[in-house]
């Protein structure tokens, strides 16, 4: 993966492997990417907290990674996941982070 374009980070698009619904977008540094591969659960780098975090580490709504796909430029990753817990992915309690229509 090419981490050089965003100061050591790559966007990670998260998609439900069963429904194809886009759930969220996070960022990964190389350590988060490798931890995700090793553990099988989505781990990201928090730009605001400056540390790694596993999705669902406090809520139990973890994301089990079924497949990881790189884009054609090797600078973005797509995580195809299975939702765990109550299935809500957004910190607001919504099932997906993409629920606000723009006008």
């Amino acid at each position: 993966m090419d981490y050089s374009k965003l100061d050591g980070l790559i966007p990670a698009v998260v998609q439900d492997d069963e429904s194809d619904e886009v759930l969220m977008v996070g960022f990964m540094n190389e350590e988060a990417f490798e931890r995700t591969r090793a553990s099988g659960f989505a781990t990201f780098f928090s730009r605001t907290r400056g540390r790694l975090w596993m999705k669902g580490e406090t809520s139990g709504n973890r994301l089990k990674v079924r497949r990881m796909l790189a884009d054609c430029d090797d600078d973005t990753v797509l995580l195809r996941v299975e939702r765990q817990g109550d299935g809500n992915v957004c910190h607001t309690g919504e099932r997906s982070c993409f629920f606000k229509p723009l006008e």
Side-chain angles (χ1 to χ4, degrees):
M1 297 301 298
D2 182 358
Y3 298 94
S4 68
K5 297 176 185 172
L6 291 173
D7 296 323
L9 300 175
I10 58 171
V13 178
V14 180
Q15 186 176 29
D16 187 296
D17 196 40
E18 188 173 308
S19 70
D20 292 333
E21 181 181 12
V22 176
L23 304 175
M24 64 172 281
V25 175
F27 289 89
M28 293 179 159
N29 61 8
E30 190 169 359
E31 184 179 3
F33 183 86
E34 292 304 329
R35 192 170 291 182
T36 297
R37 289 179 67 179
S39 71
F41 290 94
T43 300
F44 303 96
F45 180 80
S46 170
R47 296 172 298 164
T48 54
R49 293 177 274 179
R51 68 171 184 84
L52 297 182
W53 62 281
M54 179 186 287
K55 181 67 179 158
E57 64 191 359
T58 56
S59 69
N61 297 330
R62 298 189 316 167
L63 299 172
K64 178 149 184 64
V65 177
R66 294 289 179 210
R67 292 185 289 161
M68 295 175 75
L69 302 160
D71 77 332
C72 57
D73 293 323
D74 287 330
D75 61 6
T76 302
V77 65
L78 173 65
L79 304 179
R80 300 278 303 191
V81 302
E82 171 191 314
R83 302 178 206 208
Q84 295 192 331
D86 66 15
N88 293 335
V89 173
C90 186
H91 71 281
T92 66
E94 297 288 331
R95 289 193 56 80
S96 166
C97 292
F98 295 95
F99 63 91
K100 297 195 270 184
L102 295 176
E103 306 209 12

